[in-house]
Amino acid sequence: MHYQWTAHFIAGEWEQEEGEQQIPVENPATGEVIATVAAGDEKHVDRAVAAAREAFTRWSAWTVEGRALLLDRVADLLEERREEIAQTVTAELGAPIKLARGLHAALPVSDVRETARTLRAMEFETEVANSRVLLSPVGVVGAITPWNYPVHQVVSKIVPAIAAGCTVVLKPSELAPLSALLLARIMQEAGLPDGVLNVVNGDGSAVGQAIVGHPGIDAVSFTGSESTGRAVAQQASRTLKRVTLELGGKSANIILPDADLATAVKVGVANCFLNSGQSCNALTRMLVPHEMLSEAEEIAAATASRYLPGDPADERTRIGPLVSAQQRENVITAIERGLLDGAKLIAGGPRRPAGEDLPDGYYVQPTVFTQVDPDSALAQEEIFGPVLSIIGYADEDDAVAIANNSRFGLGGAVWSTDVARACAVARRIHTGQVDINGGAFNPAAPFGGVKNSGYGRELGRAGIEEFLYQQSVQL
Ligand code: TXE
């Protein structure tokens, strides 16, 4: 496949200088370099910020309906170009093509449609006593995104920002930038005015830090690791920027004694292994009543054995490689540490998966541990690979205590045939999201975390409000 959009996108122009440094983009299934993208620096960020500032005056003056209509066109084009987007995500991330079509390329269409719908329903002017309260766009937004959902995560930031009337400087992940650049091209084709969205390629130290420190940027929205999130918040404090952080997670899946155990375990394993375990809200800790532990272990091991790592381009593949050699090393180290810490391995392990046809890429075995100590590294650290930890609990209070025994607070799940009981347990879990009995991701609902999972929300009304400020006008 030829990737045409590999330059920076600034003020509506695709720019690449002669002899500019390049970043190689690998196909993680093979390790082969499939494209190179221009590597930017602070000069590119300066130009992108200038373009975004200039465009802001005009874009923020567009009517709400005008902006919503433009987003409708973006959604239509994203829908038309789904196959191209899916193929690109499969190539740069290693996501199985079925998942790329059904999730990576499909979810952004819903994200954009829901944002347009929410925008139309919002009140930008309300009255309280002698005041008129106006909601106004904060200005230029810097968006820094990771590689694991390379289109959805970009869309979750830039579309609500643009909907709010802001303009954007985006730095996509250097590991998977191709689908973000394709998205920028699609938005340009949909008629987004020049300078409203600008994309600068590059790594965190050259381009990410230039965005976070730039005095011409008013707000930064970051998704990535906990440690980088902390660095971003610190650096942003020097210019007192508004910051949204969507960081890691170690989410608990509480299976209550009255749940349909087979379904809960199977869906729980599938959730943990989704996207090769590279999801911030993955349910990586499965909490099971002590007396049901051996049955749950059997079901989990049998389910895991059906996840055979394969070529992501093959329609039958359910689990592909990890994104990079570094990520594979991190995951193998975590599995080895789990073994040393005394957890019981019931599926997978640290060795490379078998399979003669398996491409030579960054594969690991889908792995399940049981009898995991809730305080051990396996249960506390975000692994970001297909590694599930099963933990036994005594009663509901114990389950809630284990679930909350985490420095993260992103996702969670509860399974019970009694939905009211499950919801009561969900209220006691200190996280931004909880899914009951496999409840589906909702692109109209606010998404984000508490504790070390970050602050601020993406999507829904709250996602747009991240990029608005209130102005009270007294009459
Ligand atoms: O993340 P980074 P990485 C977690 C996951 C994974 C680990 C490392 O546990 O194993 O993070 O992944 C840019 N200033 N998550 O190294 O470094 C960087 O270029 C500004 C969870 O990919 O946080 C990229 O665009 N920007 C997560 C983005 O930040 C900087 C998703 C994320 O990179 C920067 C991904 C800096 N100083 C990883 N340094 C989730 N919450 O879903 C780097 N960047």
Side-chain angles (χ1 to χ4, degrees), residues 261-436:
L261 187 70
T263 307
V265 173
K266 282 184 206 159
V267 175
V269 171
N271 174 293
C272 180
F273 291 173
L274 183 77
N275 211 33
S276 298
Q278 302 166 126
S279 305
C280 49
N281 55 348
L283 301 169
T284 47
R285 295 182 296 153
M286 183 180 283
L287 276 44
V288 179
H290 285 307
E291 64 278 11
M292 297 165 92
L293 208 50
S294 59
E295 200 186 335
E297 287 167 359
E298 242 173 69
I299 302 165
T303 309
S305 70
R306 287 195 282 276
Y307 280 79
L308 297 175
D311 180 352
D314 187 330
E315 307 267 343
R316 291 163 306 180
T317 296
R318 289 172 87 180
I319 188 160
L322 296 168
V323 72
S324 64
Q326 177 66 55
Q327 195 62 25
R328 179 179 58 182
E329 199 183 308
N330 297 349
V331 172
I332 290 174
T333 304
I335 295 173
E336 283 169 345
R337 167 113 198 243
L339 289 169
L340 285 176
D341 285 348
K344 183 175 161 199
L345 185 72
I346 56 169
R351 283 202 311 276
R352 187 183 153 79
E356 279 170 24
D357 298 339
L358 199 63
D360 201 22
Y362 309 125
Y363 287 93
V364 292
Q365 291 188 60
T367 295
V368 181
F369 282 102
T370 187
Q371 295 172 21
V372 174
D373 174 350
D375 292 319
S376 67
L378 257 190
Q380 291 294 326
E381 299 304 321
E382 180 176 59
I383 297 172
F384 235 56
V387 182
L388 175 67
S389 295
I390 303 181
I391 301 170
Y393 70 82
D395 56 23
E396 207 171 283
D397 286 347
D398 191 29
V400 170
I402 295 170
N404 287 333
N405 173 19
S406 170
R407 67 181 191 281
F408 295 111
L410 191 57
V414 185
W415 288 81
S416 168
T417 40
D418 179 349
V419 173
R421 180 182 178 193
C423 289
V425 172
R427 276 178 174 274
R428 301 174 64 195
I429 303 180
H430 193 196
T431 63
Q433 283 73 228
V434 184
D435 306 330
I436 307 293

Side-chain angles (χ1 to χ4, degrees), residues 217-242:
I217 291 186
D218 303 283
V220 165
S221 179
F222 171 84
T223 297
S225 63
E226 188 189 5
S227 57
T228 305
R230 198 171 284 122
V232 165
Q234 265 168 7
Q235 196 195 350
S237 71
R238 284 184 221 133
T239 41
L240 293 172
K241 285 183 179 53
R242 190 190 284 199

